Amino acid sequence: RLAGRGWGEANTAVVVAVLVPLAGYAVFTGTVDRLALAATLAPACAMFAMMIAVEWPDREADAAGGKRNLLVRVGPAAASRIATAGALLIVPALFIAIGRGAPWAGAVFALLLVPPVAGFVGWFRMPRIPAELAARGVALYLLTVLFELFGYVTVLR
């Protein structure tokens, strides 16, 4: 029902990128702390941007079929601004996690995300093949999760 009201993207980002990791963390530690919560921010931003990106190729069919996802409800121009905002928050969110206690090695991986974020955001300025945006969104989410993981793994021995 949330997807039909334009809340499916946010719901998915919260459930998949925030609640599932926090549930796993809580099972192993018995608690959820500020660092664990901060560590979910960048993936949540990336997931939200990705959700809009993967809907892009189907936006006309979704509108014609009466699907009321966020992209259909607000239109391509507003959705591109929303997805851009989500993508642009990824790197600052990683630095928030570092400020909450994540390893400083994560800064290197956060900076490595700048080019993929720029490529994702740049697509909206010069739109090309809609499926390309979907692929960029999936790649951006994957890189965000992997690079954040690498930032934590670098301190393990």
Side-chain angles (χ1 to χ4, degrees), residues 45-92:
C45 292
M47 172 68 73
F48 184 72
M50 181 194 72
M51 292 302 299
I52 294 171
V54 298
E55 291 171 350
W56 206 272
D58 298 326
R59 70 187 186 284
E60 292 169 1
D62 288 346
K67 189 172 180 184
R68 304 290 294 156
N69 58 31
L70 181 64
L71 178 55
V72 170
R73 291 176 76 83
V74 302
S80 69
R81 289 190 297 274
I82 294 167
T84 294
L88 291 175
L89 289 172
I90 294 169
V91 173

Side-chain angles (χ1 to χ4, degrees), residues 104-122:
W104 277 98
V108 172
F109 294 104
L111 294 175
L112 287 173
L113 277 171
V114 170
V117 167
F120 179 83
V121 169

Side-chain angles (χ1 to χ4, degrees), residues 23-52:
Y25 183 83
V27 165
F28 282 101
T29 65
T31 187
V32 173
D33 56 33
R34 292 183 309 164
L35 174 56
L37 184 59
T40 65
L41 295 178
C45 292
M47 172 68 73
F48 184 72
M50 181 194 72
M51 292 302 299
I52 294 171

